[in-house]
Structures are given as structure tokens and as C-alpha cells.
């Protein structure tokens, strides 16, 4: 068995992420991202849903052929034709996986699939066995697992484990669960499913209530060791758990989350930026870890603290996630210290009296102008050049 303290990062940016509005990628963009995700250190890269389209099949196959050093997975429903397409698409990869899923909640079984629980169990066993004819690495997901009757969840997982699944994923498909509840589900499964110690348990959380990252970490505390996530948290509706937030939490809170991973932290920001170039939008400015404001400070009190000791208002350095340097933004909330610091960087050391005068002009300008650039600051040194 793998190291019990190691978290396996399963990236689904190119599958669950890509299937959300505004996130479609062309073949070459998927390949470029796949290389970068490998360089980031993800252990498993879900390259797509091979049966979904010819384009997706080709992309999964090209990634399986070209991207080495990580395990390449394709998603498949519990249908022979899906599994066959996934099996053929991943075949060139030395390390590969078929990821099959079937809904487990009564709501999905009755209204979406229109099959009984018994039929679902039969499909589970048959599909896992069929996937094993293509690869020895098969993941089974109980879709809508967090809204599933616990008795049935245990039954379905038992069937998948007996059939030979090597990873069991319990998705919070609609982002409904809470951290406490999610960790309890993993504890229950570990207690009640025979042979569960031989498989890796996995989290897969959506962010409909803004709890995807917290839920993923709670899943780990309940015994999961694989986390499924995406860059910038892209994914269906409100998105998936954000990879960079999970990796940063493991780095910053090692005291509470004593786990290791293969993620190269300095690649987080470059990967986030590359994804923004490939899809229609970037991370929100206030997005944790990789947003434009994640290491920016405008208020005077915070800037004063940052200049005295960065630990006052930053729990990690921007460099530690590959994000360059802290940005002390000058605006109407800024104080004398930050202004003096900026002027010094621009080559001007002022006396106290000069600084008072320039600061006075600065506050007048900041009340009128939302964005203040270095040119504006330099202009403050020459009162006749301050914009009217
Ligand atoms: O959210 C979900 O349930 C999924 C499965 C296909 C794993 O994406
Ligand atoms: Zn999902």
C-alpha cells in the first residue's frame, strides 16, 4: 500500500472542469495544460471523457501518448461502449486508469437512470470487471454519494471492491454535504466495507455552498487519501474543489493536516495563469492563493504591518506559490509609510516635511481617482503636474 500520509492529487481540470460553460479547450490547449499539470506534480490526470466526442477521444489518446510521468485517466459511464472507448483512449499510457461512475442515490436512480438498486449493483460489478480487461487500475465513483442511503452506499461500494476496483470515490456531486457529515461517511465506509483497506478512498467535491475545499480536507480526515480537484476550482456550476487551495492548506497548516504530496508549489500560479489563457476567464481577483488580490494590500494599517513584518497579514509568501511578490497597492486607504516606500522604490527619498506635503496631494488625488499608477505618484512630486 502507498504511504498512508501521502495525498494523491487527482486533477480533473480537463474533464469535470472542461465540461462547464466557458471552459472548453481545443486539442492543443488540452495538451499544453496536460504537460503543465504533469510538471505541477499531479499524480493522476483525468484527460477527458473518451466517449463524449471524437475530439475528446483524440485528446485523451494524445495525452496518453505524449504525457509521461503521471497516470492518465478517462471517465466512463457503466456502459460497455463507454468503457471500450476509455480503454482504447488510455491504452498508450504506461500508467493509466479507467474511472467509471454510476449514480447511487434513489433520486438519480429513479428519475435519471430509471433503474432499480439491484440493477445498479449488477451494472457496478459488470462494469468494474469489464474495465479491468483494459487496465489493472480502475476507479469507481458513486455519483451523488452524499445524498445516498448509507446502507445502499455500503452495498454498492462493497460490490465495486469485490469486483476489483482499486480506488473508490464518493462524490459530493451537487455540493450539498458539510465537512462533519462528509468525514463521517468515509469513517462509516472504512468500518463497514470488507476489504476497504486494500483500496484508496477518494473525495470529489463541488462548491455549490462554498465548502468544496473544506469538505475535501474533512474527507481526508475521515480516511480518504485521494483528492479530486481542478485548477482555479473550475467545474460544473460553482465549480470543483480548487487544487491550489488544497495544496496551500496542506502547506500552511501542516500542524493540523500532516500530509505530504507530490505537488510542486511554485508551479501553482503559473498553472493558474496558463489555464486562464486557455479558457474564457481567469481566477476572480479575490480568489484564494492565485487571485490578483491574494497578495495585495491597500489599507494603510495593513501596509504598515506588511512593511514592518509580512507575517502580520500574509500566511504564506507569494513566492511559495510561484506568484511573484507582494503588491502594496496605493489608494485612498493607504498611509504615509506605503507612499514613502513606493517613492523610495521609484528613486526618491523625501524628508518628513516633503512627505507630508506629497501625502496631502496624494490623498486628494486618491479621492478622485480609483487606480493610482507609478506615473501618478511621480507626478505628485511636481504639483503643477497633478491631474486636475
Ligand atoms: O460530480 C460527480 O459526481 C462527478 C463524477 C462523474 C465523478 O463528476
Ligand atoms: Zn464532478
Amino acid at each position: 500500500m502507498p504511504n498512508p500520509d501521502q495525498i494523491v492529487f487527482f486533477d480533473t481540470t480537463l474533464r469535470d472542469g472542461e465540461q462547464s460553460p466557458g471552459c472548453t479547450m481545443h486539442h492543443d490547449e488540452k495538451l499544453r495544460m496536460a504537460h503543465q499539470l504533469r510538471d505541477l506534480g499531479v499524480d493522476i490526470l483525468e484527460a477527458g471523457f473518451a466517449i463524449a466526442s471524437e475530439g475528446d477521444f483524440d485528446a485523451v489518446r494524445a495525452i496518453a501518448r505524449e504525457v509521461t510521468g503521471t497516470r492518465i485517466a478517462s471517465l466512463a459511464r457503466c456502459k460497455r461502449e463507454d468503457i471500450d472507448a476509455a480503454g482504447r483512449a488510455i491504452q498508450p499510457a504506461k500508467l493509466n486508469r479507467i474511472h467509471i461512475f454510476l449514480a447511487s442515490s434513489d433520486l438519480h436512480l429513479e428519475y435519471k437512470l430509471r433503474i432499480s438498486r439491484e440493477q445498479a449493483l449488477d451494472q457496478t460489478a459488470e462494469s468494474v470487471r469489464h474495465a479491468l480487461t483494459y487496465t489493472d487500475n480502475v476507479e469507481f465513483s458513486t455519483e451523488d454519494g452524499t445524498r445516498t442511503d448509507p446502507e445502499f452506499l455500503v452495498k454498492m461500494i462493497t460490490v465495486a471492491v469485490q469486483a476489483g476496483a482499486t480506488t473508490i470515490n464518493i462524490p459530493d456531486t451537487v455540493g450539498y454535504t458539510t465537512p462533519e457529515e462528509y468525514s463521517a461517511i468515509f469513517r462509516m465506509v472504512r468500518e463497514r466495507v470488507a476489504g476497504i483497506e486494500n483500496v484508496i478512498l477518494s473525495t470529489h467535491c463541488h462548491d455549490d455552498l462554498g465548502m468544496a475545499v473544506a469538505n475535501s480536507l474533512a474527507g481526508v480526515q475521515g480516511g480518504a487519501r485521494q483528492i479530486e480537484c481542478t485548477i482555479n476550482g473550475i467545474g460544473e456550476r460553482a465549480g470543483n474543489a480548487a487544487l491550489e487551495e488544497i495544496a496551500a492548506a496542506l502547506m500552511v497548516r501542516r500542524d493540523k493536516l500532516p500530509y505530504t504530496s507530490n505537488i510542486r508549489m511554485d508551479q501553482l500560479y503559473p498553472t493558474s495563469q496558463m489555464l486562464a489563457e486557455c479558457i474564457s476567464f481567469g481566477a476572480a481577483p479575490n480568489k484564494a492563493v492565485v487571485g490578483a488580490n491574494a497578495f495585495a494590500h491597500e489599507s494603510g494599517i495593513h501596509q504598515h504591518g506588511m512593511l514592518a513584518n509580512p507575517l502580520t497579514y500574509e500566511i504564506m509568501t507569494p513566492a511559495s506559490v510561484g506568484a511573484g511578490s507582494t503588491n502594496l497597492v496605493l489608494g485612498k486607504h493607504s498611509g504615509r509609510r506605503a507612499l514613502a516606500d513606493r517613492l523610495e522604490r521609484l528613486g526618491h527619498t523625501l524628508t518628513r516635511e516633503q512627505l507630508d506635503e506629497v501625502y496631502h496631494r496624494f490623498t486628494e488625488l486618491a479621492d478622485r481617482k480609483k487606480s493610482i499608477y507609478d506615473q501618478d505618484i511621480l507626478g505628485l512630486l511636481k504639483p503643477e503636474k497633478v491631474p486636475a
Side-chain angles (χ1 to χ4, degrees):
M1 278 305 275
N3 175 357
D5 297 329
Q6 175 93 5
I7 300 298
V8 173
F9 272 82
F10 176 116
D11 180 90
T12 184
T13 306
L14 303 182
R15 198 279 297 172
D16 219 354
E18 205 219 353
Q19 72 192 48
S20 58
C23 297
T24 306
M25 283 172 251
H26 297 308
H27 185 92
D28 291 352
E29 291 166 333
K30 286 189 87 163
L31 263 168
R32 183 173 173 228
M33 277 304 299
H35 282 285
Q36 177 61 26
L37 289 165
R38 187 268 322 277
D39 293 347
L40 172 66
V42 306
D43 302 284
I44 295 144
L45 197 167
E46 189 164 53
F49 189 6
I51 192 83
S53 69
E54 218 172 283
D56 228 25
F57 179 91
D58 290 344
V60 177
R61 198 165 162 88
I63 291 169
R65 201 182 302 120
E66 276 190 32
V67 182
T68 54
T70 182
R71 189 176 287 281
I72 308 300
S74 172
L75 186 69
R77 289 168 297 184
C78 278
K79 291 177 179 241
R80 276 187 97 77
E81 61 270 33
D82 276 40
I83 296 167
D84 292 339
R88 280 186 283 116
I90 60 161
Q91 180 264 325
K94 204 161 133 203
L95 298 172
N96 58 26
R97 168 176 295 186
I98 296 179
H99 174 197
I100 51 180
F101 74 100
L102 186 64
S104 52
S105 68
D106 288 330
L107 189 67
H108 279 233
L109 292 179
E110 190 180 336
Y111 290 95
K112 189 182 77 177
L113 300 176
R114 297 179 188 278
I115 59 172
S116 66
R117 286 182 171 189
E118 281 314 308
Q119 286 171 308
L121 296 180
D122 289 347
Q123 283 187 19
T124 300
E126 206 180 300
S127 300
V128 171
R129 282 196 216 104
H130 187 52
L132 283 166
T133 63
Y134 286 100
T135 172
D136 58 3
N137 197 302
V138 173
E139 171 170 338
F140 180 76
S141 287
T142 58
E143 190 191 15
D144 205 20
T146 53
R147 294 192 300 170
T148 298
D149 167 21
E151 294 303 315
F152 186 65
L153 189 67
V154 164
K155 243 188 215 160
M156 198 180 219
I157 292 175
T158 303
V159 167
V161 170
Q162 280 173 357
T166 46
T167 297
I168 295 290
N169 179 37
I170 307 176
D172 184 31
T173 303
V174 289
Y176 174 77
T177 200
T178 63
E180 203 181 16
E181 192 177 59
Y182 201 45
S183 62
I185 291 175
F186 284 96
R187 271 195 290 275
M188 174 199 70
V189 165
R190 281 169 63 217
E191 270 163 28
R192 298 192 45 196
V193 175
I196 201 74
E197 63 284 0
N198 301 319
V199 306
I200 293 199
L201 286 171
S202 172
T203 69
H204 178 110
C205 298
H206 282 269
D207 211 29
D208 300 67
L209 294 175
M211 293 196 280
V213 169
N215 286 337
S216 303
L217 295 171
V220 167
Q221 288 173 320
R225 285 297 176 270
Q226 172 178 290
I227 298 181
E228 301 194 359
C229 45
T230 60
I231 300 300
N232 293 351
I234 66 166
E236 295 278 7
R237 305 178 306 282
N240 288 57
L243 184 150
E244 57 280 357
E245 295 177 19
I246 293 164
L250 296 181
M251 173 182 78
V252 174
R253 296 309 308 267
R254 265 192 82 78
D255 56 330
K256 295 282 173 201
L257 301 162
Y259 307 103
T260 55
S261 84
N262 290 324
I263 294 297
R264 285 180 54 201
M265 298 300 290
D266 66 345
Q267 290 302 305
L268 289 176
Y269 187 73
T271 312
S272 162
Q273 291 292 106
M274 186 184 291
L275 179 66
E277 287 167 23
C278 293
I279 63 173
S280 311
F281 55 89
N286 64 335
K287 165 86 176 57
V289 187
V290 292
N293 288 353
F295 300 99
H297 310 267
E298 183 174 329
S299 91
I301 295 170
H302 286 217
Q303 290 179 336
H304 189 164
M306 285 298 298
L307 288 167
N309 181 345
L311 290 176
T312 51
Y313 288 106
E314 279 182 0
I315 58 171
M316 61 192 129
T317 63
S320 68
V321 294
S325 53
T326 292
N327 182 10
L328 298 186
V329 179
L330 292 180
K332 69 173 180 179
H333 304 109
S334 306
R336 277 179 178 70
R337 282 286 300 266
L339 179 64
D341 181 73
R342 178 70 62 89
L343 281 164
E344 252 163 55
R345 282 170 207 265
L346 294 170
H348 299 273
T349 305
L350 272 53
T351 63
R352 204 186 164 81
E353 290 70 35
Q354 285 170 326
L355 182 63
D356 281 348
E357 221 179 280
V358 173
Y359 183 69
H360 180 69
R361 289 200 285 275
F362 167 74
T363 53
E364 277 181 346
L365 177 66
D367 266 337
R368 286 186 277 125
K369 202 165 181 287
K370 280 191 177 169
S371 304
I372 299 192
Y373 303 103
D374 285 350
Q375 280 314 107
D376 298 320
I377 302 294
L378 290 170
L380 294 171
L381 298 175
K382 300 175 187 152
E384 68 283 4
K385 292 218 171 141
V386 177

